[in-house]
Amino acid sequence: MALIAKTVGRTSKTRAFAAKGLAILGLAVMLSGCTSSLDLFGGSKVDRMSTGTIPAKRNPTALSDEVTVQNAVSSADLSKVSMSPLPWANTTTGSAGVVSSIREARTQGHICRDFTTTRHSFEGIAQFTGQTCLTNNGSWMLTAFDRQ
């Protein structure tokens, strides 16, 4: 049996070199999950599906608040309310506000009510002006609701 002797310095250098190599290999394997350029195990499984632009929709919360304000304005008895504040609240959205003025006028043969209101919501406090008009079938239609 032959015995091959190595020096302690040479064995330590070999172990240090192997440890560095294993650390670099481990780092490369970990990074391969983060980048597509280091795909070590073959074919990329990335879904390349693309989508078109989705049109912006109006905020349903704001739309529901518009209907609530319209109902408050259209059902108000102007002989009693005239210039007094008219509070409104939407239990569905948690929004509330105060209609500060309502003016009724006949516009192009239709009775319309112009109004100013505030809306207190999770988005903050804002002021709006709007108009609702009586249609031929007797229902009210909101024709304007603009944030100031």
Side-chain angles (χ1 to χ4, degrees):
M1 174 185 268
L3 185 64
I4 301 174
K6 293 184 181 178
T7 63
V8 174
R10 185 172 175 200
T11 304
S12 298
K13 288 179 186 176
T14 304
R15 285 186 185 157
F17 180 75
K20 286 179 187 177
L22 285 174
I24 291 171
L25 180 63
L27 184 62
V29 169
M30 286 189 299
L31 289 177
S32 70
C34 298
T35 65
S36 61
S37 63
L38 291 177
D39 188 8
L40 299 176
F41 302 108
S44 175
K45 295 190 175 40
V46 175
D47 184 5
R48 300 284 182 202
M49 183 181 88
S50 62
T51 60
T53 303
I54 299 172
K57 292 185 178 180
R58 292 190 66 177
N59 181 349
T61 300
L63 189 58
S64 177
D65 290 342
E66 290 175 13
V67 172
T68 303
V69 171
Q70 175 192 352
N71 291 339
V73 169
S74 64
S75 64
D77 183 354
L78 295 185
S79 63
K80 294 179 182 177
V81 175
S82 73
M83 293 310 248
S84 5
L86 175 66
W88 62 270
N90 185 342
T91 57
T92 304
T93 64
S95 300
V98 176
V99 177
S100 57
S101 69
I102 303 173
R103 290 172 310 285
E104 187 173 277
R106 187 169 285 278
T107 306
Q108 298 176 350
H110 295 286
I111 296 174
C112 293
R113 292 184 176 181
D114 296 320
F115 60 89
T116 303
T117 186
T118 57
R119 183 178 79 182
H120 306 246
S121 70
F122 68 93
E123 296 172 338
I125 300 172
Q127 185 168 2
F128 293 83
T129 58
Q131 182 183 60
T132 185
C133 297
L134 194 57
T135 63
N136 292 336
N137 67 3
S139 64
W140 288 88
M141 181 174 73
L142 192 66
T143 58
F145 194 80
D146 302 310
R147 188 176 181 149
Q148 300 302 303

